[in-house]
Amino acid sequence: IAETAPQPGERPIHTAFIFHAKRHLFGKIFYDATSETWFGNFKMLMLTIMLSKVIRKIDKGTAGYTGVLLPNTPIAAGVLLAIQCADRTPAVMNFSAGQAVALGSMRRAGVKTILTSRKFLDKLKWEASEEMVLLEDIVPTIKKSDKLLTMLMILLLPTRTLVRNIAPLSCYNMFQQAVLLFSSGSTGNPKAVMLTQRNINCDIWSFRRMLALNSK
């Protein structure tokens, strides 16, 4: 019961990542098992900030959700963080339910934009829907000047100023929805599961206690 309220110093996921990345710019916490490569914190922070600005421009859906249809990779993690930094909530598409069912669930939730990739769609053998925006189309639109500006922001701005600049509405809101998930639909249509930043942090802390993790 004592933990139902936000704890001292607790931060939303995207804010916690920015604080960690700024403190350990050359550290690595994201690993791609498929390509067996690490994504450095600086690279992931660059991706998160630049993509969050693009999301603000392309997704005007009033429900506050931006869809995600990607495999479990560091790129997908960066997309989830970018959506949160854009003061929106990622709605993670359950592709195992099939295209018609999964798309129907997203539409009922009011999702107007789904970020995905052509490579993943081909792997699923799905046709692109009108809501889908391909990451392969987004990357070429990011200008060199945008990359330089983002780099300077990361290097020069104090962390608190940086997070308030990137995610002014959600950077310290523990009751903001962190993610919208969907059940498998085994008992009918997939059910939407809304989890707040507080919910996610409680799960993480419970997990850490069960494993008795320490600094070593």
Side-chain angles (χ1 to χ4, degrees), residues 3-216:
E3 290 188 356
T4 55
Q7 301 300 294
E10 184 177 357
R11 300 179 179 119
I13 298 167
H14 52 301
T15 301
F17 166 67
I18 294 172
F19 268 82
H20 178 85
K22 278 278 287 181
R23 193 177 299 115
H24 308 281
L25 269 183
F26 302 105
K28 298 174 182 178
I29 57 174
F30 296 93
Y31 180 73
D32 189 338
T34 304
S35 61
E36 297 184 348
T37 55
W38 285 90
F39 272 59
N41 291 341
F42 184 74
K43 181 179 180 180
M44 185 62 78
L45 189 52
M46 287 280 293
L47 167 67
T48 296
I49 295 174
M50 290 188 294
L51 188 55
S52 72
K53 294 178 180 179
V54 174
I55 292 169
R56 286 184 183 276
K57 293 178 182 178
I58 66 175
D59 194 350
K60 303 297 183 182
T62 55
Y65 298 119
T66 299
V68 179
L69 176 60
L70 291 169
N72 187 14
T73 63
I75 294 297
V79 171
L80 294 173
L81 289 167
I83 293 172
Q84 292 181 340
C85 283
D87 293 324
R88 301 185 64 80
T89 300
V92 182
M93 196 167 181
N94 183 4
F95 55 84
S96 65
Q99 183 169 10
V101 175
L103 267 176
S105 299
M106 298 292 268
R107 288 167 178 167
R108 284 193 295 275
V111 175
K112 300 298 183 184
T113 302
I114 300 172
L115 300 178
T116 185
S117 76
R118 169 57 61 191
K119 185 177 180 180
F120 193 50
L121 287 178
D122 291 344
K123 187 173 182 178
L124 294 174
K125 295 182 173 57
W126 283 17
E127 294 294 328
S129 69
E130 60 183 359
E131 297 94 344
M132 293 181 183
V133 177
L134 303 179
L135 294 178
E136 293 91 337
D137 294 336
I138 291 178
V139 173
T141 66
I142 299 177
K143 302 175 182 177
K144 289 184 178 180
S145 57
D146 294 331
K147 295 179 181 179
L148 178 60
L149 178 60
T150 302
M151 187 182 300
L152 290 175
M153 287 175 61
I154 293 171
L155 295 175
L156 300 179
L157 290 181
T159 307
R160 293 183 183 278
T161 304
L162 182 64
V163 295
R164 291 193 181 281
N165 182 283
I166 298 168
L169 301 181
S170 64
C171 58
Y172 291 109
N173 184 3
M174 293 308 306
F175 298 105
Q176 168 90 3
Q177 277 191 52
V179 67
L180 180 70
L181 302 178
F182 293 93
S183 67
S184 61
S186 56
T187 58
N189 288 327
K191 299 173 182 64
V193 182
M194 297 176 287
L195 297 175
T196 66
Q197 297 284 351
R198 181 92 265 272
N199 292 149
I200 298 292
N201 278 353
C202 283
D203 286 343
I204 293 171
W205 291 351
S206 297
F207 183 68
R208 289 181 62 184
R209 287 195 189 98
M210 288 295 294
L211 293 183
L213 292 175
N214 55 43
S215 60
K216 296 182 181 179

